[in-house]
Amino acid sequence: MPTVRYMVSCMIRLEGVTKRYADGTVAVDNLSFEAPEGKITVLVGPSGCGKTTSLRMINRMIEPTEGKIFVDGKDASSLKPAELRRSIGYVIQHAGLFPHRTVLSNVQTVPNLLKWDKKRAKDRAMEVLELVGLGGDFAKRYPGQLSGGQQQRVGVARALAGDPTVMLMDEPFSAIDPVVREVLQDEFLSLQERLGTTIVMVTHDIDEAIKLGHRIAVLREGGTLAQFSSPDDLLAHPNDDFVAGFVGRDRGYRALSFQRAEVPIYPAQPVELGDRPLPDEEWSIVVDANRHPIGWVERDAVEGPISQSDLQLGGTLAEEHGSLRGFLDAALSSPSGRGVVVNEGRLVGTLRPQEVLQIIRKAPRPSGDTIAGDSE
Amino acid sequence: MRLWGVDLGELIELTLDHIYLAGVPLIVGLLLAIPLGWLAVQRKWLYGPLLAATGLMYTIPSLALFIILPGILGTQILDPLNVLVAMTVYTIALLTRTVADALQSVPDHVKQAATAMGYSPLRRLFAVDLPLGVPVIAAGMRVAAVSNVSIVSVAALVGVSQLGILFTAGFNRNAMGPILIGVVACLILATLFDAIILSVSKALTPWQTSRSGS
Amino acid sequence: MISSVFDWLSTPANWEGDRGIISQTLTHLEYSLIALVCAALIAVPMGLYIGHTGRGRVVAVSIAGGFRAIPSLGVLFIAVLLLLPRLRGELAFALPSLIVLVILAIPPILSGVYAGIAEVDPAARDAAKGMGMTGSQVLWQVEVPNALPLMFSGMRSAMLQIIATATIAAVVGLGGLGRFLIDGQATRDYDEMAGGALLVAALALLVDFVFGLVQRFVVSPGLTKTA
């Protein structure tokens, strides 16, 4: 398969990399791809597809049998393994923190290995801890005193401390409970955007891959590359049945995340707590003093001024310039049947589910695909 | 018939004595350690003191125990009972912790399921906790058996008949032969005890495959 | 009976002099510490190597099991008979005693070190390597500090056994608290024997307590504290 080339320069390049073990099993078979600079590249696939092996060959935790790996233009096999690894951030599933060392000392690991002077190492460690939201007194604690989510934040901070341009992450969020995972993923995305670190990540979770990846490499059993493309491309044009199956039947719905369209937004007249519901509308939207929507009230269910207890919560808010998926989610989850659109948290207006669905039907979509709202 | 200055008949007799002196305390000690270990696990406040006390028993030198026990038991110094009691004390010292560990090694959900089905604590001990704790108990028994075989030989210093007699006899006659035979016989006995405990443990835990075992 | 043992222990004359309790206790402690250091010099590097590389596990297990089965008294006599014609003076008896104690102490130390290293969280080891630690950095900065609790428990159990067994040095005429057992037996002095036994147990407890204190200072609080 020819290597797909992108305009951005590449930070990590695999060329025909194969890992064959002594017993003859092939973990990775002739793998080639380029991880673009400053972007997140996700290796995804079922267990036994060689994704972790591929990742670990990049920092030479595993040596490839054939092929070449270039990191920042240099042939990885020409560098000393320990030195190569010190220049690459490394985050693993269970964080792998050192239980005998404080959080601060854990984060200082790579600066100390690089023999930075003490003050610089400590300042840098405090800085990256602040970055991952663990400032202040966390530095003195031991890993055993942290929650799983906090441990993984420390793991990320530790990987960032040596100021690497490249970071490898092996299932970094898999061991975290779903609610915290979502938060960590969001924080991670904005952190990556700010720092511009080149990241290669492994996950088995296609949703995570689509959410986080700028480029996705789908691997199949036997360690061959099934597809390497951007997430929207992967959802819209899966190369074959394996990729289509792995990406999942509801990929049409997922694909909406990448589709933008103009949807009619109707201005809405909001009310505040203490007002009375609008007499002409079945539902009124309630905002706070900053025009942030806080809920809906049903006209016939309220007597007198609106109080906190009259509010019907629920319903996600759609960003004005967001994706079709955001509009659809907002429209379908609202108690009033109208989706709430906001801009930077402030009420813009409402939209109607029928119109969102119409636009989705008209929008160009992947062939032979099912879209939410369509019946099969 | 003699081998390196040792009469074979005498060797057999000493070996049998040795098996008796090392083996019986192993069984008696286990039977006593089970209630003690169970108590330590059942009553949290007893755990620390009980294990400290049994651990302390192990620090008493065997030679001291062999010569003090007659004063406490009212036995003669040559009475094998002294050795039996001393070895039982050491076995309890080792196995109380083992039994407590074994009972704690049983997964919590299994214990709770058993209790939920109506097992009383005592019935659960024999029906669930002990059978599942067999691998851990067996591991402790193997250590106890091997060290018992070694310690019993010290009783030669007080003159009680067992393989250790070959050590003192050889030493007094400046003859290496009997000592070597005694050492080898002790090693063989220890291996034998070890093998027996291992196979009993395997027979008692058919659900353990050799892969997940130990 | 107990009061007469107490009488023996509280007689000042029994504490003083070359053959008094204080002197014998110090001798006992000296033998024990030398034996522990020698055993540690052999068993710790072995345990570190086996734990770190994963090679030779069978050797560790068989040594730990096999050495326990070796009867101390037999080895003591063999060593004396072998060394007596070759060595002079006290050394001909001291060295055999030392050999016996070292053989005794190797299994618990070896298993403690080996198990301590082997049980280090594989994720921590993987992370250490992945961040660019060399093999020896992984060993000394990650594996050993994390193995310390089990290493200490191996050492402490070895020391308890050494102190209890060091009494048999008296059998071949050496000093130490075993003297009171052997001499008491010879003169049928029950109080002396029981007093000696109590002193051995007390010494064992005291030394274990000191080791426990050292352990508290040496082992990272991160390995004992939890949230």
Side-chain angles (χ1 to χ4, degrees):
Chain A
M1 179 186 306
T3 313
V4 190
R5 291 193 182 276
Y6 291 87
M7 294 305 289
V8 271
S9 62
C10 88
M11 205 58 188
I12 293 171
R13 190 164 84 242
L14 276 72
E15 283 181 5
V17 171
T18 295
K19 179 66 193 180
R20 196 179 298 112
Y21 287 102
D23 64 357
T25 48
V26 176
V28 176
D29 192 6
N30 194 22
L31 180 66
S32 302
F33 69 84
E34 294 184 350
E37 181 171 359
K39 302 287 180 193
I40 302 174
T41 302
V42 181
L43 309 180
V44 68
S47 60
C49 72
K51 53 191 189 294
T52 293
T53 308
S54 305
L55 186 84
R56 290 165 68 88
M57 283 193 287
I58 296 173
N59 67 352
R60 294 185 63 187
M61 296 288 277
I62 297 175
E63 297 288 353
T65 322
E66 283 163 33
K68 282 206 178 307
I69 297 173
F70 296 90
V71 177
D72 203 4
K74 277 173 274 192
D75 183 349
S77 64
S78 69
L79 305 168
K80 278 189 186 159
E83 277 166 29
L84 172 73
R85 290 175 196 147
R86 285 169 200 176
S87 70
I88 298 178
Y90 187 58
V91 181
I92 55 176
Q93 185 172 3
H94 293 282
L97 300 182
F98 305 146
H100 65 296
R101 289 189 180 174
T102 60
V103 166
L104 181 70
S105 163
N106 262 285
V107 175
Q108 284 179 326
T109 304
V110 174
N112 286 342
L113 287 171
L114 293 171
K115 301 201 162 62
W116 291 11
D117 73 68
K118 272 187 188 158
K119 179 159 182 348
R120 183 176 166 217
K122 190 183 172 187
D123 290 349
R124 174 62 182 166
M126 294 306 278
E127 187 188 333
V128 286
L129 276 173
E130 201 77 49
L131 270 182
V132 299
L134 292 177
D137 131 80
F138 276 103
K140 281 180 267 166
R141 297 207 201 163
Y142 285 94
Q145 299 167 301
L146 305 180
S147 70
Q150 290 167 336
Q151 292 192 11
Q152 198 51 275
R153 282 166 200 255
V154 177
V156 172
R158 187 171 67 171
L160 288 171
D163 215 357
T165 47
V166 176
M167 205 150 107
L168 305 178
M169 306 177 93
D170 190 356
E171 302 265 12
F173 306 118
S174 304
I176 316 269
D177 74 83
V179 180
V180 181
R181 187 194 304 155
E182 194 94 356
V183 176
L184 283 184
Q185 287 171 342
D186 291 339
E187 289 180 2
F188 167 72
L189 268 180
S190 68
L191 190 65
Q192 192 275 333
E193 211 161 294
R194 246 191 307 163
L195 300 175
T197 315
T198 306
I199 287 168
V200 179
M201 179 190 289
V202 160
T203 181
H204 65 274
D205 176 1
I206 184 68
D207 283 318
E208 184 169 79
I210 287 168
K211 178 172 182 181
L212 301 179
H214 298 106
R215 296 284 178 274
I216 298 177
V218 183
L219 298 168
R220 69 173 100 233
E221 283 102 339
T224 54
L225 187 61
Q227 184 160 358
F228 185 77
S229 56
S230 63
D232 45 345
D233 201 32
L234 184 73
L235 292 164
H237 309 290
N239 267 357
D240 55 22
D241 287 349
F242 169 77
V243 177
F246 189 73
V247 168
R249 292 186 66 80
D250 57 343
R251 69 181 185 277
Y253 175 66
R254 284 200 192 103
L256 293 177
S257 308
F258 301 97
Q259 291 179 21
R260 319 254 163 204
E262 288 295 316
V263 175
I265 296 169
Y266 299 90
Q269 192 191 347
V271 294
E272 295 189 22
L273 287 176
D275 294 347
R276 289 178 186 276
L278 300 172
D280 305 335
E281 301 277 347
E282 207 177 316
W283 290 85
S284 300
I285 185 160
V286 185
V287 295
D288 64 10
N290 296 318
R291 273 184 76 85
H292 292 166
I294 53 175
W296 290 91
V297 286
E298 195 176 359
R299 183 188 57 207
D300 301 336
V302 183
E303 285 175 27
I306 301 163
S307 69
Q308 194 79 38
S309 61
D310 297 322
L311 289 180
Q312 298 204 20
L313 305 169
T316 56
L317 307 176
E319 270 296 323
E320 190 178 5
H321 302 293
S323 66
L324 268 176
R325 180 172 176 172
F327 292 147
L328 187 66
D329 280 343
L332 293 177
S333 63
S334 165
S336 69
R338 281 183 293 156
V340 181
V341 183
V342 293
N343 191 341
E344 291 184 348
R346 287 167 209 269
L347 179 67
V348 174
T350 60
L351 45 76
R352 299 177 197 281
Q354 301 86 339
E355 291 175 343
V356 177
L357 287 172
Q358 259 173 21
I359 288 162
I360 291 173
R361 286 203 187 88
K362 281 186 225 144
R365 58 168 139 131
S367 52
D369 196 18
T370 313
I371 292 179
D374 259 354
S375 58
E376 250 181 284
Chain B
M1 229 182 104
R2 293 178 77 81
L3 176 69
W4 287 357
V6 180
D7 180 75
L8 274 188
E10 191 198 352
L11 180 61
I12 290 168
E13 205 168 297
L14 293 175
T15 306
L16 290 176
D17 287 342
H18 206 103
I19 293 174
Y20 172 69
L21 292 174
V24 170
L26 208 56
I27 292 157
V28 178
L30 176 65
L31 292 178
L32 292 171
I34 286 173
L36 286 174
W38 185 65
L39 211 60
V41 175
Q42 283 293 108
R43 304 268 178 273
K44 286 274 169 275
W45 61 272
L46 269 174
Y47 186 86
L50 209 57
L51 290 188
T54 50
L56 185 61
M57 299 194 308
Y58 204 72
T59 65
I60 309 170
S62 47
L63 181 57
L65 215 48
F66 293 148
I67 52 192
I68 291 170
L69 275 175
I72 296 169
L73 301 173
T75 44
Q76 292 295 310
I77 188 101
L78 277 172
D79 195 328
L81 188 64
N82 302 325
V83 181
L84 287 174
V85 171
M87 297 320 297
T88 306
V89 167
Y90 289 131
T91 310
I92 293 173
L94 279 175
L95 289 187
T96 302
R97 177 176 289 276
T98 299
V99 171
D101 286 350
L103 296 180
Q104 282 173 328
S105 77
V106 178
D108 229 27
H109 60 264
V110 174
K111 292 182 189 169
Q112 281 173 13
T115 308
M117 282 186 288
Y119 278 106
S120 66
L122 202 63
R123 283 201 57 185
R124 201 192 75 192
L125 172 70
F126 289 106
V128 180
D129 296 10
L130 274 181
L132 287 179
V134 163
V136 178
I137 294 177
M141 284 282 278
R142 292 172 67 185
V143 173
V146 167
S147 71
N148 272 12
V149 169
S150 167
I151 295 174
V152 163
S153 62
V154 177
L157 295 176
V158 290
V160 177
S161 163
Q162 35 68 35
L163 289 169
I165 292 289
L166 296 175
F167 304 158
T168 41
F171 190 61
N172 292 338
R173 283 190 275 138
N174 208 349
M176 193 67 96
I179 308 181
L180 280 176
I181 288 177
V183 170
V184 171
C186 279
L187 289 177
I188 292 173
L189 260 193
T191 315
L192 196 71
F193 273 45
D194 195 58
I196 291 172
I197 293 166
L198 201 61
S199 51
V200 170
S201 163
K202 277 205 177 137
L204 286 177
T205 55
W207 59 87
Q208 290 239 327
T209 63
S210 55
R211 264 159 58 95
S212 68
S214 92
Chain C
M1 185 181 90
I2 290 171
S3 71
S4 65
V5 175
F6 187 73
D7 283 345
W8 182 83
L9 281 172
S10 58
T11 307
N14 290 336
W15 288 77
E16 293 155 6
D18 277 359
R19 322 211 70 192
I21 291 172
I22 291 173
S23 156
Q24 300 293 27
T25 305
L26 290 177
T27 310
H28 200 98
L29 203 54
E30 188 189 334
Y31 290 157
S32 302
L33 283 175
I34 293 173
L36 185 75
V37 169
C38 292
L41 284 176
I42 298 167
V44 172
M46 264 176 87
L48 291 181
Y49 177 82
I50 294 166
H52 181 71
T53 62
R55 264 176 251 157
R57 250 172 261 171
V58 184
V59 180
V61 174
S62 8
I63 288 182
F67 274 35
R68 276 200 185 97
I70 296 175
S72 301
L73 194 65
V75 174
L76 178 70
F77 288 162
I78 290 176
V80 171
L81 288 187
L82 282 178
L83 293 176
L84 203 52
R86 293 171 180 80
L87 294 173
R88 267 192 222 158
E90 212 173 67
L91 197 60
F93 298 99
L95 198 57
S97 308
L98 188 66
I99 291 170
V100 167
L101 297 180
V102 169
I103 288 176
L104 191 74
I106 284 176
I109 299 177
L110 182 63
S111 338
V113 176
Y114 157 70
I117 300 275
E119 277 173 30
V120 172
D121 178 10
R125 193 181 284 129
D126 185 66
K129 209 177 148 205
M131 282 187 293
M133 285 194 184
T134 60
S136 69
Q137 281 170 329
V138 174
L139 177 66
W140 295 108
Q141 294 185 29
V142 179
E143 290 175 334
V144 169
N146 278 290
L148 279 179
L150 280 182
M151 286 168 74
F152 260 97
S153 74
M155 291 277 191
R156 287 168 74 171
S157 127
M159 194 58 178
L160 288 181
Q161 291 183 46
I162 289 177
I163 290 179
T165 310
T167 48
I168 66 168
V171 174
V172 289
L174 290 175
L177 293 170
R179 279 262 59 87
F180 299 119
L181 302 179
I182 298 293
D183 297 347
Q185 191 198 4
T187 56
R188 307 249 160 217
D189 184 341
Y190 186 81
D191 299 335
E192 189 179 347
M193 287 189 282
L198 277 178
L199 288 170
V200 174
L203 182 66
L205 280 184
L206 184 74
V207 171
D208 192 55
F209 175 75
V210 172
F211 272 50
L213 279 186
V214 175
Q215 178 171 4
R216 225 185 252 191
F217 280 103
V218 175
V219 174
S220 156
L223 299 176
T224 44
K225 264 192 209 170
T226 43

